[in-house]
Amino acid sequence: MGAAQKAPPPSEVSLQIIVVDSANEGAQILTRLKNGEDFAAVAREKSIDPNADSGGQVEKVKLSSLRAELRDALSGLEPGQFSNVIRIPAGYAILKRLADAPASETPQEVNNTAAASFSSSLSVGRQSPVTSGVPAIEPAFVTMPKPDGWNTKAPSICEYHNQAIAELQDRVSELAKPEHAQYATEDDKLGYQYVLALIASYQGRMPEALARWEESYRIVKADLPESLPLMEEVLGDAYFHKAEMDNDVYRKPGERCLYPPRAGEKYPKFQKTEDVQRAIEHFKNYLTGQPGDLQVKWILNLAYMTLGEYPDGVKAQYRIDAPAQEAAGESIGRFLDVAPDAGLDVYQMSGGLIVDDFENRGFFDVVTTSYDICGTLRYFHNNGDGTFTERTKESGLDKIAAASNLIQTDYNNDGCIDILALRGAWQVPMPLSLLRNNCDGTFTDVTEAAGLADHLFATQTAAWADIDNDGWLDLFVADEQGPGQLYRNRGNGTFENISTAAGIDHTQFTKGVVAEDYDNDGYPDFFLTNLRGDNLLFHNNHDGTFTDVAANAGVDKSWFAFGTWFFDYDNDGWPDLFVASDAPSVEETMRTYLGLTHSVGTMKLFKNMRNGTFADVTSQVGLDKVFMPMGANYGDVDNDGFLDFYLGTGNPEYGSLVPNVLMRNKDGKQFVDITDSSGTGELHKTHAIVFADIENDGNEDLVVEMGGAAPSDAHAMRLFRNPGHDNRWIALKLVGVKTNRAAIGARVTVVTKGRDGNEHSFYRTVNSRGSWGAAPLEVHVGLGAAAEITRIEVWWPASNTRQQFANVSANQYIQVTEFATNYNKLARKVYRIGGVNAASAASTSDAKARRSTKTGARPS
């Protein structure tokens, strides 16, 4: 029974699926099926898919809701036939097409939620049900008729997005009227109410949404009992979300969004608990039929926490007693959220974030943005006294449409940091914006003048790198829906598109791109993570062309790849590679905490083997875990010289509530989870993350852009202040002369002699670090408890020159200019956020010593 090339199937099909871990096992199962074994029986025996217990059967699936490779496999199948083995992120699948389901007369946007959940589960495991409205709103926006050129200007995109919501509301409201509903099936009626609930939920009208879902619940109980578990979970998630909104935890989170609570304390109680109680009842109803469901059990436990009743008030069969993730002695202290004290009054949907010195004053400013295309970029000026003032209008950024992500550079080598705004991720292609810093606190949109308006992108990721070492930074912009584009900087303020000639215009669903000279040959390369399909490693051939060597290098395979970066995690002088696995499944994250086997792939750490290849050391260093991160970045939270990282968790659904994760690097040998003691386990959606020394005290703090993909899931920004420690540090601002002025791609090596008399080397590359959240270009190097710095070495890629400075004092800021024989000390004012002055802020003798030398503003 092969896959004959017949007419394509209708818009909806019924099917069965088997998913296994390996291609070899898939081939064996295919042979069994060809020999006549029953598909359902084999599915129950072998499949790792959630539908295995039902013989792999899934009814009435919309083809448009399936992944591309699954649609392709089904397109050639007649009822009763099965496919060959298909590679998907969750493993290897075989599909069998059943008798065709009757065509639906419901509008395309009124999706069968069970089918939508199924199509997602094929690649990411058990997910939350659709409650945020995003899976209803975005397809309506993408598919609505629009004229040519509609998406070339942000105001037009905003207008059509709002129009799509209104039209969807009108269409479904009309269908739900009694005169039409009398001709509808119960499935249709359920669909109408569900979609109307999603629209209200998306916009934050939770009482209306819950009224619609209660009507859906009535329909299900009366006529569609098979959908009752879904509706119990939906109502539980929705009531809990409303309770959080009513208790103002999104605008004023404080300690109420942090898990676990402080040692010896309970989770802070909610004042308004009626909807929490309703959520608990629905979750318990759900668990009556699915007692082992970890996702619902977890959020049920969270609900009890908000009542102050966890753990004693939770019955044993519902309680999750997760083992401690942190061994004794690992704590570096508790971080405190000081964003409200700092005046970082940011409450918005998910988006991008840059922290850097845009005004050349010795203080880090903050630029942030939102996924809401109807919004704008926002600029927060650092006042130098522990507070920020919003200067969005004064900076000119109030005229720049919001973006999915932001990265910074100095593209024209004028000494002032510019901004690139990226748009269209998860939606439709949109224009990017290059914003020139005018060196006076204002920005000018130069996208068209620079030659970067030739292409529209669906992206939130790009990377700056000088691909030909001519001293001018070039730009690679990745894409989700088309080929990536490489722009060569001509050195006169304009760029030329060389994508095809460079051989780098591959089409993938790319979610992360980073640049690094991974093989130390003097030229930067590009690594791309792809949500669907293999990753790409473009090796720079030194002649303006690139070759994908990911497979040969051993970094092509990872699972549902998302955020990524190069960093030298073990300080051996060779950049290693981290790849996050964005598995949007609460259940899989719970499996990490409970030490259970995963049905999806983990994040990956690839060690550079110094010969052009990498080794997968994920398990060896303790990172074989699943945390569903979106935002992710790295830095050194304890200044021990070994780079740590912070993962921001979440997916668009309200039930996606798991703590962020702070992983501490122990001597380049092991990563340990210090989330519990650090107080950084924010439960809500987290996107852009930046490690930055905000207070100029030598400690890297965590600046965290929060919020989900729906307006009703907006969240306040977090600024987690580092508690400080006794380890030393050095910070370097590099200024290129022949190399690009921002020194992106330059290498720093700091060699220390410890108190044990041994030398230790720490390696850093100038860049903005991770692929979602842009850290300062200034290089921060922790030194541990070093007695002294023996020497600092700086390598400049364009000139291929090296500088060496001996006996540099620790705990200071210095500037190193290419070709200079000496470095310059930079005066930095130390301050404390929260009204405490610098003199009372520091706790170590080193901090006290440096306060007397950092009283002036940094020279421009």
Side-chain angles (χ1 to χ4, degrees), residues 247 353 490 776 832:
N247 284 275
L353 173 69
R490 292 189 177 102
R832 186 71 159 178

Side-chain angles (χ1 to χ4, degrees), residues 797-826:
S799 61
N800 194 26
T801 59
R802 296 181 186 274
Q803 294 164 297
Q804 183 167 301
F805 306 98
N807 301 316
V808 180
S809 297
N811 298 341
Q812 65 171 328
Y813 301 87
I814 66 174
Q815 178 171 303
V816 177
T817 302
E818 190 174 13
F819 304 123
T821 56
N822 296 303
Y823 64 87
N824 296 320
K825 280 189 176 183
L826 297 174

Side-chain angles (χ1 to χ4, degrees), residues 582-771:
D582 179 36
S585 169
V586 174
E587 173 150 340
E588 292 301 325
T589 299
M590 287 300 103
R591 287 179 169 274
T592 289
Y593 288 127
L594 296 172
L596 302 175
T597 302
H598 291 291
S599 62
V600 299
T602 70
M603 53 187 167
K604 291 291 185 181
L605 181 63
F606 297 104
K607 177 178 170 57
N608 195 322
M609 301 307 291
R610 312 185 190 189
N611 60 0
T613 69
F614 293 77
D616 185 345
V617 296
T618 309
S619 297
Q620 179 181 324
V621 300
L623 292 181
D624 49 344
K625 305 175 188 298
V626 176
F627 288 124
M628 65 172 178
M630 297 188 72
N633 217 326
Y634 68 90
D636 188 353
V637 291
D638 55 356
N639 278 345
D640 68 349
F642 290 90
L643 293 167
D644 318 298
F645 63 85
Y646 186 54
L647 304 177
T649 62
N651 69 51
E653 296 313 322
Y654 295 151
S656 174
L657 296 170
V658 295
N660 292 352
V661 181
L662 182 58
M663 300 295 293
R664 182 186 177 206
N665 184 341
K666 293 188 67 175
D667 302 323
K669 299 176 182 177
Q670 194 79 8
F671 285 85
V672 295
D673 187 339
I674 60 169
T675 308
D676 292 7
S677 63
S678 66
T680 56
E682 165 65 60
L683 286 164
H684 291 126
K685 284 77 171 177
T686 302
H687 285 81
I689 289 171
V690 169
F691 288 69
D693 179 6
I694 294 292
E695 298 178 320
N696 286 346
D697 64 353
N699 299 310
E700 287 198 297
D701 310 294
L702 295 170
V703 190
V704 186
E705 167 77 9
M706 303 291 302
S712 61
D713 214 7
H715 198 287
M717 176 179 280
R718 294 283 203 173
L719 170 52
F720 290 114
R721 181 173 61 205
N722 194 312
H725 31 71
D726 293 331
N727 287 333
R728 298 183 175 187
W729 54 276
I730 187 80
L732 304 90
K733 178 181 179 181
L734 302 191
V735 179
V737 176
K738 184 176 182 180
T739 298
N740 67 88
R741 180 74 177 266
I744 290 175
R747 296 274 184 89
V748 173
T749 304
V750 180
V751 182
T752 67
K753 180 177 287 186
R755 291 169 183 164
D756 56 4
N758 296 323
E759 281 198 342
H760 305 274
S761 297
F762 305 101
Y763 302 89
R764 302 289 184 269
T765 301
V766 179
N767 55 42
S768 57
R769 308 190 207 178
S771 56

Side-chain angles (χ1 to χ4, degrees), residues 352-435:
L353 173 69
I354 303 173
V355 179
D356 216 322
D357 185 1
F358 288 98
E359 301 174 36
N360 286 331
R361 299 174 306 116
F363 301 110
F364 290 140
D365 309 297
V366 173
V367 178
T368 183
T369 186
S370 163
Y371 187 66
D372 179 8
I373 190 62
C374 298
T376 71
L377 272 60
R378 299 179 68 184
Y379 185 87
F380 290 86
H381 165 84
N382 190 325
N383 298 321
D385 61 1
T387 67
F388 291 78
T389 298
E390 182 165 7
R391 291 189 179 173
T392 300
K393 184 175 182 179
E394 294 85 346
S395 70
L397 295 184
D398 64 322
K399 300 179 180 64
I400 307 301
S404 302
N405 196 17
L406 305 169
I407 57 174
Q408 85 277 39
T409 191
D410 180 0
Y411 80 95
N412 57 357
N413 286 345
D414 66 353
C416 300
I417 296 174
D418 313 299
I419 297 172
L420 182 73
L422 304 159
R423 302 185 181 90
W426 306 109
Q427 291 182 311
V428 296
M430 300 181 189
L432 51 77
S433 295
L434 178 63
L435 309 171

Side-chain angles (χ1 to χ4, degrees), residues 12 123 141 168 209 230 245 273-274 300 334 366 421 475 521 541 573 622 628 746 749:
E12 295 178 343
S123 57
F141 167 52
L168 178 61
L230 171 68
M245 294 175 71
T273 61
E274 181 179 354
L300 173 64
R334 190 172 181 88
V366 173
L475 173 64
D521 67 354
N541 299 323
M628 65 172 178
T749 304

Side-chain angles (χ1 to χ4, degrees), residues 529-611:
T529 58
N530 295 305
L531 203 65
R532 303 166 185 170
D534 293 342
N535 301 321
L536 303 171
L537 177 59
F538 286 113
H539 179 262
N540 191 327
N541 299 323
H542 309 180
D543 60 1
T545 68
F546 291 79
T547 301
D548 177 24
V549 297
N552 290 336
V555 295
D556 57 323
K557 304 297 183 186
S558 59
W559 192 90
F560 225 63
F562 206 94
T564 185
W565 57 71
F566 285 96
F567 68 161
D568 189 354
Y569 85 93
D570 54 359
N571 282 317
D572 68 352
W574 292 78
D576 310 296
L577 181 60
F578 174 83
V579 182
S581 166
D582 179 36
S585 169
V586 174
E587 173 150 340
E588 292 301 325
T589 299
M590 287 300 103
R591 287 179 169 274
T592 289
Y593 288 127
L594 296 172
L596 302 175
T597 302
H598 291 291
S599 62
V600 299
T602 70
M603 53 187 167
K604 291 291 185 181
L605 181 63
F606 297 104
K607 177 178 170 57
N608 195 322
M609 301 307 291
R610 312 185 190 189
N611 60 0

